[in-house]
Structures are given as C-alpha cells and as structure tokens.
Amino acid sequence: MRFVFRADASMTIGSGHVMRSSAIAEEAIARGIPSLFVGKISELDWVNERIRGLGFMQILENTSEFMPDKNEDILIIDSYEIPANDVFVQLRNWSKVVSIFDELTPDYSCDLRIHPGLTKAWLDPFSGRTLSGAKFVPLRKSIKNSSVHNPEGTLEVLVVGGGSDAYGFVPAVVNVLTELTQDFHATIFTNSFLGMDLDERFSLSEIGLNLDLVANAVDLVFTTASTTSLEFLARGSAVAIGCAVDNQELYYKELSGGNYAAPIGEFLNNEWHLDTELIQELFSSETLRTKLRGNSADLIDLDGAKRIVDEILKL
C-alpha cells in the first residue's frame, strides 16, 4: 500500500491544499506508510521546505512523471484546479481515491471524501462515505495547544494572512493596529514589508515554518478565514478573522456564527472593509478574548490527521 498525495500551492492558489495534505502525510509517514507527493509548489519556499522535510519516498511535480499501481496506490487529492475528468484522478487508475473537499471542490469520483471544517451535513448526493466536522481537521504535529494566557502581561498578538496573503490582509489590519493606543506586542508575518510604518510594538517576520514557534504562545490572532484560522483555534488562541475570497465564506460564516472567532471584515470591491470598533474591543477587553477562547475550547483537537489516516486504512 502507498499513499499518493496530489495538491498544488502558489501565491494565487494559496497554501491550504498542500498544508492539509502534508498533515495527513506526516501522520501516514510516522506510521511507516510509504507516501509520495505529486504537485507544483511555486513562490512559497516555506511550503516547499515543509514537503521536502516530511520524508516522502518520492516528490514529483508533474502527474506525467508517475504511473499509479491500481492494486496498491491510494490517491488523496486536495484541489480546486484539477478537473474531475482529468485522467490522473480517475478511479480506474487507483486502488482507492480520497477527496479532501469543500463546496468549491470539483466532483471527483472517489471512495471517501473528507471535509476539514465545521459543517457536518452535506446534502448533495454521493455514493461513497463522507466524513466531515471538526474531528477531521488535519493539523501538523508542530501545532500545540497553549492554555497559558496572562492577562496581566503584555498582550501578545499575531497577524498573518494565511499562507500567501495575496489580498493584503496583513497591511490592512496593521494600518488599524498602528492607530491603537494600547500597549501590546504584535508579530507580523508577511513576505511583503512595503508600505508599513511600524513603531516598537511591532516585529516583522517572513511567513514560514517559524510561525509555529510564535503561534503556540500568543493571546490574540488576526488571520483570514482559511485553514490557518482552524490551526489557531486548535492552539487555544482568541481569533479574529477576515474573509478574502469565496472559498473562505463558509469558514467565515461558521466560525463567526458559532462565536468561535470574531468577524472583523471582508475584502469587497478590491479593498478591505474592517470593523475598527471590534478590533479595538478585542485589544481592550480581556473578557471578550476569554469568551472567544472558551467558546472554541475543545472545538478542534490535534488528532484530526490520525482519524483521517485511520479511515483511509479502513477502505
């Protein structure tokens, strides 16, 4: 048996498809399951570093470089871009096919599909098994839950716009934060440092694997309603989310509707519309931050990847 992961990442596509796949692969490789990665990663060096450090038996960029064994290979696909009629993803080529999906995923023919989000019921017809809900959010092993929050100390804040921040979430939020009068320390993760005039309350860092070192011990996080937001909820942070694109709308609605995260605005007509009053309250009110942490406590644990691998092995 081999697991074959198919996903891509770039500034335009984002990092979510590959990062979800990598969390499942990390668990599979830890169990000794031979695993391969097929996909193109461009412009995001830290994602490429992540994939190359996991222990894949083979990493290929193009599907033409790999011929699956239909008796041994299980395809695990996470993509919006690969058409459902693409030859590579057809059931006849594989022992089994698993689709990591949401409402924008092509209708791949598969034996098992898994939604790594809060939605538990999908009403669209599907002949195979569907697993969904917070129990099936795959998280990399470097993510740790931190319940240590000191309301008497300096408020530790983190700002990151997902894996690529193609829509400028970080500078939009930072422009609001620079106007606040509170004492805080904010670590800003971005790969574009232009146009940000920052005072001593801010530290800059490139988006990369070092994010986990900071993220496991912060009080308040500003991020997009993407896979990244679920990672921070699992860590136990108070989280504020913005909605940049269509594929973030479901998370934005679910996380704000359940009061798990604070909805601070959306990217509309090529600009961010942020709720500055809510942002101000998130800094000034420990009560609000505590409420958010309490609402999301135990919502997403760290065992999603383990459950997914268990389910794949049952096929």
Side-chain angles (χ1 to χ4, degrees), residues 225-240:
S226 58
T227 300
T228 307
S229 64
L230 304 183
E231 296 174 356
F232 285 112
L233 291 172
R235 289 183 174 101
S237 301
V239 178

Side-chain angles (χ1 to χ4, degrees), residues 4 32 44 54-55 69 74 76 94 133 146 184 221 254 281-282 296:
V4 180
L44 301 175
L54 283 179
D69 182 338
I74 296 176
I76 302 163
W94 304 92
S146 174
F184 61 86
V221 174
E254 291 177 333
E281 186 180 3
L282 285 163
S296 62

